[in-house]
Amino acid sequence: MDNSKLLGLALYPLPVYLFPTSFGFMAELANILTEVKNGVLYLTLNREEKLNALNFQTLEELKMVFEEIIDSREIKAVIITGAGEKAFVAGADISEIAELNEVNARKFAENGQEIFAMIENCHKPVIAVTNGFALGGGCELAMACHMRIASANAKFGQPEVNLGIIPGYGGTQRLTILIGKGKANELMMTGDMIGAEEAKSLGLVNYVLPTKEEAIAKAEEVIGKIMSKAPLAIGMIVDCVNAVFLPEDGYQTEANCFARCVKSGDYKEGTSAFLEKRKPVFKGE
Ligand code: COA
């Protein structure tokens, strides 16, 4: 396979993306729907006829959208979901996986890992609302988000072993971290799917709601609470929690992030408001 295609480069009508203003360019995305409401970006993976499978183009679009989210003053939080009722994301696109070779397979994995790390490291809360199948790269995408809220019909799994491969977008690491070694080994080695309630009992999912609409409403409720807190502190929590999984000393990261919080106006506002018995008004600075 041509490596430029692997990186999505050959697939892009570049002029569309040259001068993005506000979120205008997002309207031009082929496989992702975006809508901003009350500071929340609703990001919908939109290849319903392929169960929202992640092809190269969708991954590149995800990357572009997250680059925009990170810089945006308007977007304070993100909810990711899949179009339709049947699937969140049924995996990386198998028609593209079938074309990999030994050389570009490493790039394939590294590219997905890099994009999912952008999501995991985003300083704004990112919640996956998993409706229907979250398999392979779909489960990996959900795990890269800060939380997962499932509808009752959600199904999770890492079925790559059925294709003679393993998870390559961080799944071997994040699944093990989230549910522990024994269960992660079982799910990845058998390729079995689990339902929403089992996923919740394993710690893979935060909440299960009967329908997708109710799951989105729950995500909005959680995000509403987070948005009333100091944004800088939220970003520092992201960095510290992620530091647990890095070779660096997480306690040192925590001390550094704690000190950064204390330099902020929001720290002064939060502590003053408590002492003055009023609600704090955080400005994110
Ligand atoms: N990549 C590419 N296409 C996919 C896909 C994927 N990961 N998952 C589903 N699709 C496509 C199917 O090929 C089918 O396309 P078609 O209508 O053009 O033939 C369409 O989505 C609907 O899927 P279908 O298999 O007909 O639905 P189903 O209800 O019978 O089964 C699944 C649903 C999820 C069990 C089944 O699609 C599946 O096993 N998908 C692959 C899951 C996987 O292995 N993911 C990890 C990839 S690394």
Side-chain angles (χ1 to χ4, degrees):
M1 178 189 294
D2 172 5
N3 280 344
S4 68
K5 187 179 171 208
L6 177 64
L7 296 172
L9 299 175
L11 299 168
Y12 278 88
L14 274 177
V16 169
Y17 302 107
L18 283 179
F19 303 107
T21 55
S22 185
F23 296 97
F25 83 94
M26 287 193 185
E28 307 293 338
L29 301 169
N31 297 332
I32 291 179
L33 300 175
T34 61
E35 188 185 3
V36 183
K37 270 191 287 175
N38 304 321
V40 180
L41 175 72
Y42 294 78
L43 188 164
T44 306
L45 282 312
N46 188 34
R47 291 182 77 212
E48 201 176 336
E49 72 292 351
K50 294 289 175 191
L51 304 187
N52 306 319
L54 288 178
N55 59 3
F56 302 134
Q57 178 165 350
T58 311
L59 266 184
E60 276 306 300
E61 290 184 5
L62 206 50
K63 182 177 177 185
M64 269 189 259
V65 172
F66 267 88
E67 280 166 352
E68 188 79 7
I69 290 167
I70 289 163
D71 288 341
S72 167
R73 292 182 79 80
E74 186 188 354
I75 295 173
K76 316 269 189 228
V78 185
I79 293 176
I80 303 183
T81 192
E85 296 300 324
K86 198 170 165 185
F88 172 66
V89 169
D93 192 311
I94 297 172
S95 66
E96 293 179 343
I97 287 180
E99 301 285 312
L100 291 175
N101 61 46
E102 219 178 304
V103 178
N104 63 19
R106 179 186 294 272
K107 276 210 167 79
F108 170 91
E110 287 173 347
N111 183 50
Q113 287 177 4
E114 188 190 314
I115 295 165
F116 286 8
M118 276 176 79
I119 298 174
E120 186 169 54
N121 292 322
C122 180
H123 277 191
K124 302 166 185 186
V126 184
I127 298 185
V129 169
T130 48
N131 49 303
F133 295 109
L135 303 176
C139 189
E140 291 174 297
L141 171 61
M143 290 192 293
C145 297
H146 300 134
M147 292 166 228
R148 287 144 294 284
I149 298 180
S151 57
N153 73 336
K155 286 203 171 359
F156 297 84
Q158 297 290 164
E160 287 86 349
V161 74
N162 295 328
L163 305 171
I165 52 174
I166 63 170
Y169 291 167
T172 59
Q173 307 301 294
R174 292 195 181 94
L175 188 65
T176 307
I177 287 160
L178 281 166
I179 70 172
K181 199 170 162 185
K183 224 32 201 173
N185 271 329
E186 181 186 337
L187 282 188
M188 286 187 279
M189 289 179 180
T190 61
D192 280 351
M193 283 187 227
I194 54 171
E197 286 299 340
E198 188 176 354
K200 181 165 167 257
S201 72
L202 290 171
L204 184 55
V205 157
N206 295 54
Y207 299 98
V208 179
L209 279 298
T211 65
K212 181 179 172 183
E213 288 67 33
E214 287 162 287
I216 289 174
K218 183 70 191 173
E220 287 167 342
E221 181 194 320
V222 174
I223 279 173
K225 270 190 205 163
I226 297 171
M227 280 168 64
S228 71
K229 315 295 179 193
L232 182 82
I234 299 300
M236 295 300 96
I237 289 169
V238 169
D239 287 354
C240 292
V241 170
N242 289 343
V244 172
F245 313 119
L246 298 173
E248 69 194 51
D249 177 357
Y251 290 100
Q252 196 58 56
T253 305
E254 184 182 85
N256 292 340
C257 289
F258 186 83
R260 274 191 69 190
C261 289
V262 168
K263 279 205 293 196
S264 69
D266 283 346
Y267 155 74
K268 289 195 180 59
E269 170 63 9
T271 47
S272 306
F274 180 84
L275 295 172
E276 292 161 14
K277 300 192 186 306
R278 61 176 175 83
K279 276 201 157 186
V281 181
F282 294 118
K283 293 189 177 147
E285 47 197 45

